[in-house]
Structure formats: C-alpha cells, structure tokens
C-alpha cells in the first residue's frame, strides 16, 4: 500500500508532463515546421524544464513516434464513428458512399494538417514511425470504412474489387487528399484551382470510375 502511494503520483505527474509537451508540440506545428521547433521552445511553451524533457526524450525526433501514437487514438475514434452521420439505410448507392468517404477524409486532414504533414515528411525521409500493432489496427479501421462502399457494389451486382484494387483505391484516395490538404501551396496541387466541393466531386468520380472498371 505504501509503495502505491509513493509511486502513483510520480507516474501521474510524469504522464501529465508528457501530455503537456505533446500537446504543446501539436499546437506549435500549426505555427511553424517541425525543423524550426527546439526543445527549448517546448520548454518555454509548457513551463517544463528542458532537462525534464530530455530525461523522457533523447531529442525532439523521439517525440514523433509518441505523438503519432497519440494521434492514432484520435484517428481510431474518427474511423469508428465514420458512418454515423450517413444514412446507410436510405442511401444505398455506391457513388454517394464514395463521396462521403472523400469528404470525411478531406475534413479530417484539414483538421489535423500540421501533425499529418510532419509525420508524412518524416516518414518519407526516415522511414516508418509506427509499429505492427498500429499498422494492423489501421488496416482494420480501413476495412470498416470501406465496407459500406463494397456492400453497395454488391447490391448493384458489381464485381467485388480484388485486394490489389482495394490497395490502389486507397492510394488514389489518400494521395489526392494528401496533396491537396498537406501540400496545397506547392506544385502540382497549387495548379489545381478548384474549391473543396469541386475537388470532392471530381475525386469521387475518379474513384467511382476506377471501381466500375471491369477486370480482365
């Protein structure tokens, strides 16, 4: 009993400190790029001593896997509720369901653009941040998100997509949203002068056409 009383507050304080630092980093990513943020900046923002941060993280790059795992929880909640605001019983057609898929991704990426941009760039340069558990959970989440689309295909007596088609479908969806929401100020996305509604309409049409293609 005595041991629990001694250690629990320390663990709680440590967890609170970590959460404070991660929350500050996420806020600062909306103001500047990750490369422009230092441990000293985080210490000043949070009121946590630099030495305390270094005791938990060897450098600022060590914050990213933990921040990504924290973000993964947000994504899991979002994916779980993905179809709650869509009337699946009334709207059974494929195209409106694909449009919902595109629109929801666009809104989610817009809400979390700073951290997504940071993670995306880091992984491009240094490799994966996630571990197998997160990867498997992500696959499960996307199966949940895509299931109503594929159910609509079946109800319209369309050919069920192959595993490769599903992968390319997701690549087309995520790459399009990535370019628009994370790197819209750069080419090639910068040359696309259409508003969000038009973007959703056009990407929906492209994805619908892809799923409608016959397979040899």
């Amino acid at each position: 009993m005595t041991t629990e009383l001694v250690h629990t507050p320390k663990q709680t304080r440590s967890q609170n400190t970590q959460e404070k630092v991660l929350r500050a980093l996420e806020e600062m990513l909306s103001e500047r790029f990750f490369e422009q943020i230092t441990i000293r900046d985080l210490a000043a923002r949070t009121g946590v001593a630099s030495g305390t941060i270094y005791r938990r993280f060897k450098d600022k790059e060590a914050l990213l896997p933990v921040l990504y795992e924290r973000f993964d929880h947000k994504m899991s909640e979002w994916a779980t509720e993905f179809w709650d605001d869509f009337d699946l019983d009334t709207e059974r057609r494929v195209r409106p369901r694909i449009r919902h898929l595109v629109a929801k991704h666009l809104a989610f990426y817009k809400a979390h653009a700073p951290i997504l941009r940071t993670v995306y760039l880091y992984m491009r340069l240094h490799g994966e941040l996630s571990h197998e558990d997160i990867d498997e959970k992500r696959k499960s989440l996307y199966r949940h998100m895509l299931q109503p689309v594929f159910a609509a295909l079946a109800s319209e007596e369309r050919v069920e997509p192959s595993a490769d088609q599903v992968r390319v479908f997701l690549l087309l969806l995520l790459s399009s949203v990535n370019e628009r929401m994370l790197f819209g100020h750069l080419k090639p996305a910068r040359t696309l002068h259409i508003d969000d509604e038009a973007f959703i309409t056009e990407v929906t049409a492209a994805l619908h056409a892809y799923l409608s293609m016959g397979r040899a």
Side-chain angles (χ1 to χ4, degrees):
M1 179 68 70
T2 302
T3 302
E4 291 181 0
L5 288 173
V6 169
H7 289 289
T8 300
K10 291 183 179 179
Q11 292 171 355
T12 301
R13 185 163 58 248
S14 179
Q15 290 169 358
N16 289 342
T17 297
Q18 177 171 299
E19 177 62 22
K20 185 184 293 186
V21 171
L22 293 173
R23 190 164 55 245
L25 175 58
E26 190 169 350
E27 290 171 357
M28 293 174 75
L29 287 173
S30 67
E31 304 164 2
R32 63 188 102 158
F33 291 112
F34 181 71
E35 292 73 16
Q36 300 170 318
I37 299 171
T38 66
I39 293 293
R40 182 177 294 179
D41 294 331
L42 286 168
R45 176 70 65 97
T46 60
V48 175
S50 296
T52 300
I53 299 175
Y54 276 119
R55 279 197 293 273
R56 294 197 62 82
F57 304 97
K58 66 177 183 178
D59 51 36
K60 71 173 186 178
E61 283 73 20
L63 284 157
L64 286 179
V66 186
L67 186 67
Y68 184 65
E69 187 172 350
R70 180 175 177 269
F71 169 76
D72 185 67
H73 293 304
K74 295 181 181 179
M75 186 170 185
S76 295
E77 293 176 0
W78 168 72
T80 301
E81 301 169 351
F82 195 86
W83 293 98
D84 288 0
D85 57 346
F86 187 93
D87 192 345
L88 292 168
D89 292 330
T90 300
E91 187 50 85
R92 299 175 179 271
R93 294 173 299 160
V94 175
R95 193 174 185 124
R97 294 186 180 194
I98 293 176
R99 184 180 181 87
H100 181 76
L101 193 72
V102 176
K104 292 284 281 190
H105 273 81
L106 199 70
F108 185 77
Y109 273 59
K110 181 179 290 187
H112 301 284
I115 183 173
L116 283 166
R117 184 186 301 112
T118 301
V119 167
Y120 182 89
L121 289 174
Y122 184 89
M123 289 194 292
R124 279 295 180 98
L125 292 172
H126 305 287
E128 293 293 331
L129 280 169
S130 59
H131 50 71
E132 287 187 9
D133 288 346
I134 288 182
D135 290 342
E136 285 304 312
K137 184 168 67 174
R138 190 65 53 81
K139 289 177 185 177
S140 177
L141 293 177
Y142 270 100
R143 281 195 293 269
H144 168 72
M145 282 189 271
L146 293 175
Q147 192 279 327
V149 174
F150 299 147
L153 281 171
S155 71
E156 294 180 8
E157 299 183 348
R158 307 279 188 91
V159 177
E160 181 180 349
S162 67
D164 284 345
Q165 276 188 304
V166 173
R167 294 187 189 100
V168 173
F169 178 88
L170 281 174
L171 181 63
L172 293 171
L173 167 64
L174 298 178
S175 296
S176 300
V177 175
N178 269 340
E179 286 298 319
R180 181 168 182 85
M181 299 315 304
L182 306 187
F183 306 105
H185 60 295
L186 301 173
K187 292 182 178 179
R190 193 177 67 190
T191 62
L192 186 63
H193 301 298
I194 60 175
D195 61 25
D196 285 350
E197 280 301 307
F199 175 83
I200 292 168
T201 297
E202 295 305 319
V203 174
T204 297
L207 293 173
H208 184 254
Y210 177 71
L211 286 185
S212 300
M213 290 169 54
R215 297 207 310 273

